[in-house]
Amino acid sequence: MRILKDSFIYLIGELFAKSLPFLMLPYLTRKLGPEGFGELSYYLTWLALFGIFIGLSQEGAVTRYFYFYGKKGLNTVVTAGYLYNVVISAILLLGCWFFQAEIMAYIVLATMFQSFINVQLALRQCQKQPVKYITLQIILSLTNVIFTIAALELFSEDLVAYRILAIVVANALTFFIASVVLGDLFSSKNRMTIQRLKLSALYIFSFGIPLILHQSSFFIKGQLDRLFIYEQYTKTELGIYSAGVQVATVLPIVLMALNKAIVPYYYQGLKEKKLTIQSIKKYTLFCLALCIIPAFIGYVLPISVYVWFLGEKYADSKYYVVMYLLGYGANLPYLMLVNYLFFHAKNKLIASITFISSIFYVVLMVVLGQYSIEYIPYALILSNMLMVFILWLLVNK
């Protein structure tokens, strides 16, 4: 009952929080037009790339530390991660200043504060506090929408830059509320010293650095296509493509919300040996059947629905919605299998699997993308299925 209750809170809260930016999608597609929306997608791809190195999977490191070592010293780990975040962000900002890259500087700032927020969210999640977790998510979404609409209505030029600047302000304000208004979750009984900060930093690096390859692989499969399309096709084509992908991202949002609720109990079941490999594989097969349903729903919806939601210039986005719902659907069996390896800290193995899958994806994307932009989604579908197949074989070992 506790799992169902928490899952319901996470799902409803996360859907509400994520639905606000999603519902803003028609506003952005119309306000920016296909060309401007394509340019925005291009810059947000850089935000995802910077997030790999600025964030360094700190939220995952904090969660695992809590489950393996408890609350003792957790504040030191969080502080060490924040210090790393500030240093690497400052270096990137100096690079932006040197190259006079104003929008890229906004991207770095947005990524820095987003990493701070992710850690705050992880602290609430590992404490099994879904209400506080969702409260922060809703605050982030609300501020993001409010500042974006205010910026785009007040200004008539450089709308893409102002959209990104709105993200910076929303992230900064949400982090301030999470860390100052709501306060720290844990009080450290041990005095924070340089030696303890060093040890905490080493822990973060030992956890996060092997996952750079893992995160980079997901960046390649989730974002690299925008950079490729930006160079090979027009901004308008990229805008239509990105709009379809954005609609399809509703599915991974739902899946991740469920995953966040289930992971604490998934780990607990493994720790108490109540969840076996046989059970995991049985659930995985069930998930494989379920993952086709969203794409089928997207297919039967008429084009008029997509035009009504996105605008008249985005009728061709339906194709990309359906294809990416199919590709994202494979995340369901993937999560069922990969959480087992995460629990056993098989980070290097996970990184190797995702790297193999991402290389396969890049080859398919480049080859198929030379013929038509419509073939690019097949790269995600086939590479995701390959990843699930490899995980299935390795879980036994």
Side-chain angles (χ1 to χ4, degrees):
M1 290 300 296
R2 178 68 184 275
I3 295 177
L4 291 175
K5 179 183 175 181
D6 285 2
S7 298
F8 180 77
I9 295 173
Y10 273 113
L11 181 60
I12 298 301
E14 190 106 348
L15 284 177
F16 177 78
K18 300 297 185 183
S19 67
L20 296 177
F22 178 76
L23 292 175
M24 191 173 61
L25 181 59
Y27 173 79
L28 289 175
T29 54
R30 289 171 170 83
K31 193 73 176 180
L32 300 178
E35 183 174 341
F37 193 78
E39 185 180 358
L40 176 63
S41 300
Y42 170 78
Y43 282 114
L44 292 181
T45 299
W46 285 99
L47 189 151
L49 178 60
F50 288 154
I52 297 172
F53 302 97
I54 293 177
L56 204 65
S57 301
Q58 290 178 43
E59 63 275 15
V62 167
T63 301
R64 186 174 185 274
Y65 185 96
F66 176 83
Y67 282 110
F68 275 80
Y69 306 109
K71 300 178 182 179
K72 186 178 180 180
L74 187 58
N75 268 347
T76 307
V77 173
V78 172
T79 302
Y82 283 174
L83 289 174
Y84 162 78
N85 191 324
V86 171
V87 170
I88 193 68
S89 298
I91 293 172
L92 289 172
L93 285 172
L94 284 174
C96 293
W97 173 77
F98 180 79
F99 290 105
Q100 297 294 301
E102 180 182 353
I103 296 182
M104 284 299 181
Y106 296 157
I107 294 293
V108 172
L109 289 172
T111 308
M112 180 182 74
F113 286 114
Q114 183 61 59
S115 176
F116 289 156
I117 294 170
N118 289 342
V119 172
Q120 290 291 323
L121 290 171
L123 291 172
R124 272 74 184 179
Q125 182 190 0
C126 62
Q127 279 286 82
K128 298 179 183 177
Q129 297 177 340
V131 175
K132 292 183 178 179
Y133 177 96
I134 293 305
T135 299
L136 289 178
Q137 287 279 52
I138 292 174
I139 292 172
L140 178 61
S141 298
L142 280 173
T143 53
N144 201 307
V145 171
I146 292 170
F147 290 131
T148 295
I149 294 177
L152 298 189
E153 291 300 323
L154 286 173
F155 301 97
S156 58
E157 297 181 354
D158 300 324
L159 296 184
V160 172
Y162 282 113
R163 160 60 177 156
I164 297 171
L165 187 57
I167 296 174
V168 175
V169 177
N171 287 357
L173 180 59
T174 303
F175 172 65
F176 174 81
I177 293 172
S179 58
V180 177
V181 177
L182 298 182
D184 294 331
L185 284 180
F186 310 111
S187 59
S188 179
K189 296 181 180 179
N190 299 320
R191 185 169 59 89
M192 194 174 297
T193 63
I194 298 297
Q195 182 62 25
R196 287 177 179 144
L197 282 173
K198 287 182 179 179
L199 289 174
S200 297
L202 286 175
Y203 166 75
I204 290 173
F205 293 151
S206 65
F207 182 92
I209 290 177
L211 287 176
I212 288 179
L213 185 60
H214 173 70
Q215 297 290 345
S216 298
S217 299
F218 276 97
F219 168 80
I220 289 172
K221 295 173 67 175
Q223 302 288 338
L224 186 63
D225 53 347
R226 274 69 152 194
L227 300 182
F228 177 79
I229 294 170
Y230 189 83
E231 297 296 332
Q232 294 290 326
Y233 297 93
T234 66
K235 290 181 182 179
T236 298
E237 289 175 299
L238 174 58
I240 294 171
Y241 174 95
S242 297
V245 175
Q246 285 288 97
V247 173
T249 54
V250 170
L251 181 58
I253 288 171
V254 173
L255 296 181
M256 291 308 298
L258 290 172
N259 188 60
K260 286 178 183 297
I262 292 172
V263 160
Y265 302 97
Y266 187 106
Y267 283 4
Q268 188 174 345
L270 289 173
K271 188 174 183 179
E272 297 174 355
K273 301 187 184 303
K274 294 180 180 179
L275 185 62
T276 64
I277 294 177
Q278 289 73 22
S279 298
I280 292 172
K281 287 199 166 186
K282 180 181 70 174
Y283 295 140
T284 301
L285 290 174
F286 180 67
C287 291
L288 275 172
L290 285 179
C291 71
I292 302 174
I293 297 175
F296 177 75
I297 295 173
Y299 177 76
V300 298
L301 287 175
I303 291 180
S304 58
V305 174
Y306 296 92
V307 172
W308 167 79
F309 185 70
L310 296 173
E312 294 181 0
K313 299 179 180 179
Y314 296 89
D316 293 338
S317 293
K318 174 182 177 177
Y319 171 80
Y320 301 109
V321 173
V322 174
M323 297 301 290
Y324 274 93
L325 282 174
L326 192 59
Y328 289 142
N331 288 340
L332 186 58
Y334 164 80
L335 290 170
M336 186 59 63
L337 293 168
V338 80
N339 283 331
Y340 177 84
L341 298 182
F342 270 125
F343 177 80
H344 292 286
K346 301 293 184 179
N347 293 352
K348 292 182 179 178
L349 179 60
I350 295 170
S352 299
I353 296 169
T354 51
F355 179 72
I356 292 171
S357 175
S358 64
I359 293 300
F360 183 60
Y361 169 82
V362 170
V363 172
L364 286 176
M365 181 188 70
V366 172
V367 173
L368 297 175
Q370 298 297 328
Y371 295 98
S372 172
I373 189 175
E374 294 184 354
Y375 293 157
I376 292 178
Y378 286 100
L380 179 70
I381 296 170
L382 295 175
S383 60
N384 277 356
M385 294 310 299
L386 174 65
M387 188 164 55
V388 170
F389 177 72
I390 296 174
L391 283 171
W392 177 277
L393 295 178
L394 292 178
V395 161
N396 274 337
K397 301 179 180 180

